[in-house]
Amino acid sequence: MSTDVFMALRQRLPALSKAERRIADRVLEQPSIVVDSTINQLAELCDVSQASVARLCQSAGFTGYKPFRMAIASAITREEASRDQFRVSDADIGPDDSAFDVVMKVAYQEARAVEETARALDLVALDAVVGAIRDAARIDIFGVGSSGLTAQDLQQKLHRIGMSSYSWVDPHLALTSVALTRPGNVAIAISHSGLSVEVNDMLTVAGRAGATTVAITNFPESPLGVLADLVLTTSSRESRYRSGAMSSRIAQLALVDFLTVRLLQGSYEQANESLRLTYDAVQNHRLHY
């Protein structure tokens, strides 16, 4: 699937040099400066060398400044068209925005997170994770903060279709669990930044014990992404009123649904029976009118 230039820049931020990061931050904040500038002008605006601009273009997957510039122009046009659909002129939320503006901008941001995650997802990696989960005797899932909520959602979905899965919110319990894992089992670590020490430690221990390790992160070149055997990448953006922990959740949950449905496709009859039994089990605990 295709990855647009803004997504490529955001995902590679942790791996960029200081000079490249300065350019990338400026471009993401004000992408029109690329369209309006030569490589020399952009270098001057960012107080870096032309060579740093060229290296950033290569880091983002382009052969040079010209195709990078064209990709930026195309991405700006697509974003403007998408904002028009939601009737928002600016994606960021301001302190004086009306309730309508806030609702439409949040809807736009979340729709973009799901769309970009789907468009950039490595489908080969997705099916590899599905295969590993399907064959695993046990799946351990761990995340902290907002990512911990995603971990619990994935565990609940796997459990309901009859898979032996465990979600850990305590890092010590997570470590002791994966320390006893075996080859063929799966350990899934979820972290938006890929920098959470506890999450990275869990995946390291799981890998040493022989588990197939999976990372769900917004930054595939982060320490967590490097640790994992398989990486599933989300795409979400931060804004003034929506920190990474908030904006990443919808993309992570969409990815969990991609995984779950793909699992259901391969064992529908067995999984459907598990879903029916778990559904029936709670029916007597509902109020009837």
Side-chain angles (χ1 to χ4, degrees), residues 93-105:
I93 298 169
D96 298 322
D97 280 345
S98 66
F100 174 84
D101 291 334
V102 170
V103 169
M104 296 309 292
K105 288 182 178 183

Side-chain angles (χ1 to χ4, degrees), residues 178-206:
V178 296
L180 299 177
T181 194
R182 299 177 179 178
N185 290 351
V186 172
I188 303 174
I190 306 173
S191 170
H192 171 74
S193 67
L195 300 174
S196 299
V197 173
E198 299 89 348
V199 178
N200 293 5
D201 285 349
M202 175 266 197
L203 210 66
T204 299
V205 173

Side-chain angles (χ1 to χ4, degrees), residues 16-272:
L16 298 178
S17 68
K18 289 183 178 179
E20 291 172 339
R21 178 67 183 260
R22 188 182 306 133
I23 307 164
D25 286 340
R26 184 71 182 272
V27 170
L28 290 171
E29 180 182 354
Q30 191 183 356
S32 60
I33 64 170
V34 176
V35 180
D36 299 332
S37 303
T38 64
I39 185 172
N40 183 54
Q41 290 169 332
L42 181 61
E44 290 180 356
L45 285 169
C46 298
D47 193 25
V48 298
S49 67
Q50 291 186 41
S52 293
V53 177
R55 283 194 294 269
L56 175 68
C57 296
Q58 293 174 350
S59 295
F62 297 91
T63 56
Y65 185 68
K66 184 177 179 180
F68 177 73
R69 188 180 185 184
M70 292 174 62
I72 290 285
S74 178
I76 290 173
T77 300
R78 286 196 302 272
E79 289 218 348
E80 288 174 347
S82 183
R83 288 198 300 268
D84 285 344
Q85 291 180 337
F86 285 86
R87 293 183 285 172
V88 295
S89 58
D90 179 7
D92 204 5
I93 298 169
D96 298 322
D97 280 345
S98 66
F100 174 84
D101 291 334
V102 170
V103 169
M104 296 309 292
K105 288 182 178 183
V106 171
Y108 165 76
Q109 291 165 354
E110 295 199 348
R112 289 287 290 173
V114 173
E115 177 189 349
E116 291 182 355
T117 296
R119 190 168 65 241
L121 187 61
D122 184 338
L123 300 182
V124 174
L126 177 69
D127 277 349
V129 174
V130 168
I133 290 174
R134 186 175 288 131
D135 295 337
R138 176 189 178 100
I139 305 108
D140 286 286
I141 312 163
F142 183 54
V144 296
S146 177
S147 295
L149 300 176
T150 303
Q152 292 176 49
D153 183 65
L154 176 56
Q155 187 275 330
Q156 187 262 352
K157 285 182 167 65
L158 295 179
H159 180 74
R160 284 202 62 197
I161 59 177
M163 295 185 170
S164 180
S165 57
Y166 302 85
S167 171
W168 304 101
V169 294
D170 184 297
H172 288 184
L173 292 178
L175 287 170
T176 56
S177 177
V178 296
L180 299 177
T181 194
R182 299 177 179 178
N185 290 351
V186 172
I188 303 174
I190 306 173
S191 170
H192 171 74
S193 67
L195 300 174
S196 299
V197 173
E198 299 89 348
V199 178
N200 293 5
D201 285 349
M202 175 266 197
L203 210 66
T204 299
V205 173
R208 288 173 181 166
T212 298
T213 55
V214 179
I216 296 177
T217 180
N218 210 72
F219 301 99
E221 296 182 24
S222 65
L224 180 64
V226 172
L227 281 171
D229 297 319
L230 298 166
V231 181
L232 298 177
T233 306
T234 58
S235 179
S236 61
R237 313 181 187 193
E238 295 185 6
S239 66
R240 184 182 305 167
Y241 292 98
R242 290 167 58 79
S243 67
M246 185 175 179
S247 62
S248 65
R249 186 181 63 248
I250 187 69
Q252 289 177 349
L253 291 174
L255 211 159
V256 164
D257 285 347
F258 301 156
L259 270 175
T260 305
V261 173
R262 200 76 174 117
L263 281 163
L264 284 168
Q265 282 185 302
S267 53
Y268 181 75
E269 290 186 6
Q270 178 182 349
N272 192 52

